[in-house]
Each structure stands twice: as structure tokens, then as C-alpha cells.
Amino acid sequence: FIKKVKKDLFDEYKYEIKNLTTIRGNFLTKMIHRKTGFTTYELIKKHKSKRSAWFYNSVLYVYGSTS
């Protein structure tokens, strides 16, 4: 069930997510934090793995995001 929902969401928003600018991506991470109370690092760590969370957090750092 979860895999199907994940695939459906990815298919629906694939184009928008892959074409985010740095500023819009930074804004998205801040909105996620504001709405959920969790940082993107914490959400990725909870739903994927600590290694994945570290990787994506490193990518954000390289591109200048503070989230």
C-alpha cells in the first residue's frame, strides 16, 4: 500500500520536484518544517534511513540551504 501511494505521488509531482530552482527548493523545505514541525533531515531519517538523510542534507548544504 505504501509503495503504491509513494509511486502515485512521485508520478503526480515528478516534473515539479525535478525542476525546482534552488530558491524554490529552499522555500519548500522551510514550508515543510513550518507545517510539520520536523526538519527535512528528520523526516527523511524517519521514513528512509539515516544515511539517506545525511546524503540529502549534504546536498542541501552544498547548494547553500540552511534547512
Side-chain angles (χ1 to χ4, degrees), residues 13-34:
Y13 296 106
K14 176 177 28 179
Y15 179 78
E16 289 87 354
I17 290 173
K18 287 189 175 198
N19 292 308
L20 283 177
T21 62
T22 305
I23 293 169
R24 292 176 75 195
N26 195 14
F27 182 70
L28 177 62
T29 59
K30 288 180 181 188
M31 282 188 59
I32 290 170
H33 177 66
R34 187 176 297 153

Side-chain angles (χ1 to χ4, degrees), residues 20-64:
L20 283 177
T21 62
T22 305
I23 293 169
R24 292 176 75 195
N26 195 14
F27 182 70
L28 177 62
T29 59
K30 288 180 181 188
M31 282 188 59
I32 290 170
H33 177 66
R34 187 176 297 153
K35 289 288 184 182
T36 64
F38 296 105
T39 63
T40 50
Y41 176 84
E42 293 168 333
L43 289 171
I44 295 170
K45 182 179 170 185
K46 179 180 177 184
H47 294 286
K48 291 199 74 125
S49 69
K50 189 174 183 177
R51 178 177 281 167
S52 293
W54 177 85
F55 172 76
Y56 287 114
N57 200 48
S58 299
V59 170
L60 286 173
Y61 180 76
V62 168
Y63 285 102

